[in-house]
Amino acid sequence: MNKKQILLINDMAGYGKVATAAMLPILSYMGLPTYNLPTALVSNTLDYGKFNILDTTDYIQGVFPVWKELGFSFDAIATGFIASERQAEIVSAYCKQEAAHGTTIFVDPIMGDEGKLYNGVTPATIQSMLEMIAVADLIFPNHTEACYLTGSEYHAEGVSKQAARTLLDKLHATGAKSVLITSIPVEGQHCVAGYNDKLKEYFLLPYTEIPVHFPGTGDIFSAVLIGNLLNGKALRFATRIAMDAVYRLIDLNKNNADKNRGIPLENYLNVLDE
């Protein structure tokens, strides 16, 4: 059976296992031919407090015509960090074109966390992201991003089950087919909330939070989730597998001295077999 080819459109860190540097080894380990288009080159994970970043928008603009001329296509595209409004416009236009040809689009609308937008994210960025998620087969914002994308009020203490469902409905109304909201507290329990468009099914998957911070855990979740979906697993089951993999990887590495570099994935890829 031919494995599905996936393109990662995300940033690349030189030092640290985040974004493309985290997703590539996981998807490759899962047997999926994985290609990448860096949205930015970043010297190291931002958790170190000092970094250098190169916006690759001009490079991206030159790549798409070459790929079109060469006839390159992908079964799936997964987008993550977008470096600028102009880049968002170029990438969203490409995703729309490819979606029209049957490519599955996964969007992780990386914009903020803990109720706040990241530095440099503007209302225009949010609008560009809305254009991208309008053609997505699956989006997986966190609680903060879900609120910004839908103009909803953010409640740090969490939401009711009905409010979580309403938020899923608002995200679905943007044009995205299936929806996950990661790390949302629902009635006192950390959860991933989901809506499967194919089955018209809502679900809540609770998890136990380990009080340790590693950059890149969201990217690990994305990669394991997408890999399982492309290998034929149903959304709810693939989500649970991804949640469990992240928990296990954090637990195995919680005593690491330097957590800012992320989880050294190459040493632990066998966790994906469990």
Side-chain angles (χ1 to χ4, degrees):
M1 184 178 75
N2 288 333
K3 288 284 190 175
K4 292 188 175 177
Q5 299 190 97
I6 181 167
L7 170 66
L8 303 179
I9 303 180
N10 208 340
D11 64 295
M12 174 63 88
Y15 189 92
K17 292 297 174 183
V18 298
T20 301
M23 296 180 74
L24 232 169
I26 291 172
L27 288 161
S28 297
Y29 183 81
M30 295 178 77
L32 296 158
T34 307
Y35 306 87
N36 73 90
L37 183 65
T39 56
L41 300 178
V42 190
S43 57
N44 45 267
T45 64
L46 308 188
D47 298 67
Y48 286 104
K50 181 180 281 192
F51 58 89
N52 186 42
I53 184 167
L54 174 68
D55 180 331
T56 58
T57 302
D58 290 340
Y59 164 74
I60 290 173
Q61 192 162 33
V63 166
F64 290 145
V66 173
W67 283 358
K68 186 175 182 180
E69 190 176 330
L70 292 171
F72 293 166
S73 62
F74 307 94
D75 298 294
I77 297 171
T79 71
F81 174 75
I82 300 295
S84 66
E85 292 161 25
R86 178 168 155 252
Q87 188 180 93
E89 289 168 8
I90 295 167
V91 171
S92 63
Y94 178 71
C95 287
K96 284 176 191 174
Q97 288 172 14
E98 297 306 296
H101 296 127
T103 299
T104 301
I105 309 294
F106 301 102
V107 177
D108 182 0
I110 299 171
M111 299 188 302
D113 202 2
E114 296 179 350
K116 292 179 261 185
L117 293 173
Y118 296 134
N119 288 338
V121 177
T122 67
T125 310
I126 297 171
Q127 188 56 46
S128 297
M129 195 64 78
L130 282 166
E131 290 174 20
M132 195 149 18
I133 68 177
V135 296
D137 294 274
L138 174 65
I139 63 172
F140 30 96
N142 61 30
H143 184 199
T144 296
E145 293 154 349
C147 290
Y148 273 101
L149 288 167
T150 59
S152 304
E153 192 174 344
Y154 174 81
H155 298 283
E157 71 280 6
V159 300
S160 66
K161 287 180 182 177
Q162 183 55 51
R165 183 167 175 156
T166 299
L167 200 49
L168 289 168
D169 287 340
K170 286 182 178 180
L171 288 165
H172 178 60
T174 64
K177 294 183 180 73
S178 294
V179 180
L180 297 176
I181 306 171
T182 62
S183 59
I184 180 169
V186 180
E187 298 183 1
Q189 174 69 61
H190 291 291
C191 290
V192 173
Y195 172 72
N196 184 331
D197 187 55
K198 286 182 182 174
L199 302 177
K200 311 301 180 194
E201 171 197 55
Y202 295 88
F203 56 88
L204 277 178
L205 299 175
Y207 65 90
T208 302
E209 188 173 62
I210 300 174
V212 173
H213 172 72
F214 282 100
T217 52
D219 304 303
I220 293 169
F221 172 85
S222 300
V224 179
L225 170 69
I226 290 168
N228 277 281
L229 290 171
L230 293 179
N231 283 334
K233 301 286 196 305
L235 179 59
R236 182 176 185 150
F237 187 48
T239 303
R240 183 81 259 177
I241 293 171
M243 293 166 67
D244 291 346
V246 170
Y247 180 90
R248 183 94 176 102
L249 285 165
I250 293 173
D251 190 46
L252 287 166
N253 288 274
K254 63 189 176 188
N255 296 320
N256 291 8
D258 182 5
K259 296 179 177 62
N260 290 337
R261 71 177 67 175
I263 292 171
L265 287 164
E266 290 81 357
N267 298 326
Y268 298 95
L269 290 170
N270 62 312
V271 165
L272 303 177
D273 301 325
E274 295 176 6

